[in-house]
Amino acid sequence: MNLFRSRVSTSVVSRMAGELGSSASVPTTTSSSSSSWAKTRSLWPSILRWIPTSVDHIIAAEKRLLSLVKTSYVVEQVNIGSGPPGSKVRWFRSTSDEPRFINTATFQSKEDSPTLVMVHGYGASQGFFFRNFDALASRFKVIAIDQLGWGGSSRPDFTCKSTEETEAWFIDSFEEWRKAKNLSGFILLGHSFGGYVAAKYALKHPEHVQHLILVGPAGVSSESESKPERLTKLRATWTGAVFNHLWESNFTPQKVVRGLGPWGPDLVNRYTTARFGAYSTGEVLNEEESKLLSDYVYHTLVAKASGELCLKYIFSFGAFARMPLLQSASEWKVPTTFIYGFEDWMNYKGAQEARQHMKVPCEIIRVPQGGHFVFIDNPTGFHSAVFYACRRYISPKPENERLPEGLTFA
């Protein structure tokens, strides 16, 4: 595939293996058995060694990535309990009473700054916003989370069996996190799948959200509403039938990376180098950013499967929502801003249609030199869009604010 043309040096993988392998758990019944294992391991070329991972590895990789951020921050594991209070149902329909935790990063801000809560998308984690924390923390109290089952948060077994159960799991776990943090009246920003969750949360709990910012949100339209001709043609082929079967079998991209074992870091590095380098629509990552992001992404992808298994319950093949946001647009009670990169593969026209049914203020802003990860591709343009969207909360004279140069309304 074109995305994976660039190659990673074996030295990078070797360094990752050396650094991360030192904290791997190894059977140590006797000193001689440990020594024997070490000798056997040393015979394997570094490129063929499996790179261990765990939540601890994710947190460590997150810390390395966030070393690029200048603003002081605190990371905490927020206890959300074992399930919704008073419910016999546990998270993921688990019988375990084990408490669950949401990995949370809070950035230092000026006193009385409005609170901005940031929610990542599918296959991502809060560290993906590493290029944005400094700028946003100049105006907001920024809090970024890993959703339950993602990143450095708890990863319970996934046993949801329907769209309704899956949505409730994400929405209710976020609500328990909000209660634990004692938050209300915050601005809620969600990217891609995180935008879908943020919108669904605001529908259920509008009293807690001042403003909703949806960045390239997934799930706005259904397949029937979008009428995707290319997808229809693909499904008519044997290739499309295979992909559709894999989708319905809940075969996720993360399973591919896990299955590659010691070659997984190379695949991830090729993707990040290509997507945010050669094929970037905006500001490319420098060498250090690329290395640290690749390391972080690898560990978040290959850790225990949990939140990723929501895929087939939320979306049908082609990433079309089974319960699209468009169907509930007339029920929205929170002012909303949609932000799309010019090159985003998520179609902003779904947001335009939703706006026609909404009874609250709604703006759609497009950012140049940005794709689906507009906040990485064009961080300056993205920050300008967020500041403009929140002008009522951060500007002394919001009525005098004009759309920043380069941005356009849709």
Side-chain angles (χ1 to χ4, degrees), residues 13-14 16-22 24 37 41 44-53 57 255-265 298-299 302:
V13 177
S14 178
M16 287 173 62
E19 179 181 356
L20 298 172
S22 62
W37 180 88
R41 183 176 183 270
W44 283 82
S46 61
I47 192 67
L48 295 181
R49 293 178 192 158
W50 288 68
I51 309 299
T53 196
H57 283 94
K255 291 180 180 179
V256 175
V257 181
R258 292 188 194 103
L260 285 172
W263 291 276
Y298 171 75
H299 286 289
V302 299

Side-chain angles (χ1 to χ4, degrees), residues 287-356:
E287 184 178 353
E288 183 180 18
E289 288 176 322
S290 182
K291 185 179 97 171
L292 293 176
L293 181 60
S294 294
D295 177 32
Y296 176 69
V297 171
Y298 171 75
H299 286 289
T300 61
L301 292 182
V302 299
K304 175 186 173 181
S306 183
E308 73 190 64
L309 299 175
C310 72
L311 194 61
K312 80 166 190 174
Y313 297 106
I314 300 293
F315 304 107
S316 62
F317 178 54
F320 294 101
R322 299 187 188 277
M323 296 177 65
L325 300 176
L326 183 58
Q327 292 180 357
S328 55
S330 62
E331 302 169 24
W332 289 22
K333 297 179 175 65
V334 178
T336 302
T337 301
F338 291 87
I339 298 176
Y340 292 87
F342 274 19
E343 307 300 325
D344 196 334
W345 62 276
M346 290 292 181
N347 196 333
Y348 68 90
K349 292 183 179 179
Q352 287 180 315
E353 187 173 355
R355 181 172 56 187
Q356 295 176 7

Side-chain angles (χ1 to χ4, degrees), residues 230-302:
R230 291 178 63 185
L231 183 60
T232 302
K233 290 181 178 179
L234 176 61
R235 275 192 171 148
T237 66
W238 70 268
T239 303
V242 169
F243 279 123
N244 187 65
H245 174 73
L246 290 173
W247 187 284
E248 294 300 328
S249 300
N250 227 353
F251 186 85
T252 65
Q254 290 88 332
K255 291 180 180 179
V256 175
V257 181
R258 292 188 194 103
L260 285 172
W263 291 276
D266 180 54
L267 177 69
V268 172
N269 187 75
R270 291 184 185 209
Y271 168 74
T272 54
T273 301
R275 169 59 186 85
F276 303 112
Y279 295 93
S280 173
T281 56
E283 182 182 329
V284 302
L285 298 181
N286 61 41
E287 184 178 353
E288 183 180 18
E289 288 176 322
S290 182
K291 185 179 97 171
L292 293 176
L293 181 60
S294 294
D295 177 32
Y296 176 69
V297 171
Y298 171 75
H299 286 289
T300 61
L301 292 182
V302 299

Side-chain angles (χ1 to χ4, degrees), residues 388-410:
Y388 182 79
C390 299
R391 58 195 181 277
R392 288 170 45 205
Y393 314 104
I394 61 177
S395 174
K397 295 184 178 180
E399 66 279 2
N400 294 338
E401 296 289 335
R402 297 293 178 264
L403 188 69
E405 185 176 355
L407 307 184
T408 61
F409 285 123

